[in-house]
Amino acid sequence: MKAIWNLPWVVGGDFNEIRFMFERKGCNRIDSGMKDFGKFCDRHELIDLPMNGAKYTWRSSFSSPNPRLSKIDRFLVWEDHFPTINVSALARPISDHKPIKLSWSYEDWGAPPFRCVAMWFLEASFLSLLKQWWTSFSCSGSASFIMAKKLQLLKEQIKKWNKEVFGRIDRRNEKILADIVVLDQLDDDRTISPSQLATRSNIRLQYEEVADMIYLHWLNKSGAQWFQHGDRNTKYFHKLAKHRRRRNNVVRLRINGSWVEDKAEIKNHIVEHFKSKFERFFSWNELQKTVSFECFLVRKENRG
């Protein structure tokens, strides 16, 4: 299929076959149809998008007490060019098949949390910059306040450096490859100068450094817990990272017994949930009374 359609595409519908045993209720063996369907998807590197809202999409009968249930309706995509789409099952009033909906939506959950990226440490000047920034901050207060304030200032400085100086690592890689192509063409025409030969050697060293950064970036983003030293299967890490992003995407949430899809309501509910987990269970006065009473007991035990 890659040779025929070198474009991102998606196909969906009733495939009349399952891929795994858990997609059919009561299935206890893998038949030839399942094997062929699985080999077809693997051969063409098709991605079976996960479905929300239902485990099965087909029911043999509404009147039977023990109907046959299977997931035979699905969407398949070639390459993971659709990181923000999701598949959901709809209501089935009459048909023996549940309608499935493919939707694309950009969920804006606010600014992403700050994370220290491991590939930054491959930059030769990064550690010295960290030391320079840390010593340049001047804060007053308690030790814990100074520590927290300096970390806050350091975070803002790193974000600014990452955007203005470090830049997009994929853009740096594209520029390096473009420069190498130009110099290789001069070498093929035998018009390359000694200085350009030295430049090409330096650029190739830069490419190795950038390749290491890209590898480490996608390895961390994929969350892979195993890898062979030197393995640079970044395509595999891309798939893992996008799979994790799709799996961690909160499409809907059950709140007070009902499913909610409004992102603002979901966000507020999550915030209130964790807020209640970390809130104080007694007032500051009660805390002082508790501490004073415990100190009184300690003094009493020491006197006794």
Side-chain angles (χ1 to χ4, degrees):
M1 287 190 178
K2 287 184 179 180
I4 302 175
W5 297 302
N6 192 19
L7 291 172
W9 56 265
V10 57
V11 61
D14 178 11
F15 288 84
N16 201 31
E17 187 56 84
I18 63 174
R19 293 188 61 194
F20 308 103
M21 289 193 296
F22 62 81
E23 293 180 344
R24 177 174 292 154
K25 186 178 181 180
C27 181
N28 53 17
R29 66 182 183 88
I30 300 176
D31 56 29
S32 59
M34 295 168 58
K35 292 181 181 179
D36 293 339
F37 189 30
K39 290 179 181 178
F40 174 80
C41 294
D42 294 338
R43 185 186 313 120
H44 299 289
E45 300 182 6
L46 301 178
I47 299 173
D48 187 3
L49 297 175
M51 184 175 62
N52 300 306
K55 188 176 181 180
Y56 308 108
T57 62
W58 175 79
R59 181 188 180 103
S60 61
S61 173
F62 284 96
S63 58
S64 173
N66 296 310
R68 290 176 294 164
L69 301 173
S70 298
K71 179 190 174 184
I72 56 178
D73 305 273
R74 66 187 76 235
F75 284 98
L76 299 175
V77 299
W78 173 63
E79 295 290 348
D80 207 348
H81 294 282
F82 313 95
T84 58
I85 61 175
N86 59 78
V87 179
S88 57
L90 304 179
R92 176 186 50 197
I94 300 175
S95 174
D96 54 352
H97 287 265
K98 281 189 175 181
I100 55 175
K101 180 179 72 172
L102 181 71
S103 59
W104 179 92
S105 61
Y106 174 71
E107 299 292 341
D108 185 9
W109 296 96
F114 174 79
R115 291 184 177 90
C116 184
V117 182
M119 68 175 176
W120 289 340
F121 292 92
L122 297 180
E123 185 73 20
S125 60
F126 184 61
L127 289 177
S128 61
L129 284 173
L130 286 180
K131 184 177 180 180
Q132 177 184 341
W133 292 332
W134 186 264
T135 55
S136 66
F137 301 143
S138 177
C139 305
S140 59
S142 63
S144 58
F145 174 80
I146 293 175
M147 181 72 174
K149 191 63 177 177
K150 279 194 170 186
L151 287 175
Q152 183 181 5
L153 296 172
L154 183 64
K155 179 185 72 172
E156 297 301 323
Q157 195 69 34
I158 292 175
K159 290 171 65 175
K160 181 180 178 181
W161 170 83
N162 179 58
K163 182 178 180 181
E164 298 178 357
V165 180
F166 189 78
R168 292 279 301 272
I169 193 66
D170 50 348
R171 297 291 180 266
R172 290 171 62 181
N173 185 56
E174 291 174 2
K175 184 179 183 306
I176 289 173
L177 292 176
D179 293 340
I180 290 176
V181 168
V182 173
L183 294 174
D184 284 344
Q185 290 176 349
L186 294 176
D187 193 13
D188 292 340
D189 298 335
R190 296 186 178 181
T191 57
I192 190 169
S193 64
S195 60
Q196 290 173 328
L197 284 173
T199 301
R200 185 174 63 176
S201 299
N202 293 331
I203 290 177
R204 285 178 174 173
L205 291 176
Q206 294 176 20
Y207 173 76
E208 292 182 6
E209 295 175 357
V210 171
D212 288 337
M213 292 180 182
I214 293 175
Y215 155 72
L216 190 58
H217 170 70
W218 283 105
L219 173 63
N220 293 334
K221 203 167 185 178
S222 67
Q225 299 297 321
W226 63 270
F227 66 97
Q228 295 292 328
H229 183 67
D231 182 12
R232 302 213 176 182
N233 191 0
T234 53
K235 183 177 180 181
Y236 171 72
F237 296 146
H238 274 255
K239 289 184 178 181
L240 279 184
K242 291 177 181 178
H243 174 71
R244 288 185 65 217
R245 179 168 53 188
R246 182 180 292 112
R247 183 187 61 192
N248 295 335
N249 183 31
V250 181
V251 179
R252 59 179 186 163
L253 187 69
R254 185 185 287 273
I255 302 176
N256 299 327
S258 60
W259 289 104
V260 176
E261 296 185 1
D262 181 64
K263 64 182 179 183
E265 188 174 351
I266 292 175
K267 186 175 180 180
N268 291 333
H269 180 77
I270 293 174
V271 170
E272 292 299 326
H273 171 76
F274 285 100
K275 192 188 223 177
S276 64
K277 295 293 182 182
F278 296 102
E279 68 182 357
R280 295 180 183 270
F281 293 97
F282 40 77
S283 65
W284 175 249
N285 292 331
E286 292 175 343
L287 178 61
Q288 287 182 320
K289 291 178 182 179
T290 303
V291 173
S292 300
F293 180 70
E294 290 179 353
C295 292
F296 170 75
L297 293 178
V298 171
R299 289 196 297 268
K300 186 177 181 181
E301 290 177 359
N302 293 334
R303 290 174 183 174

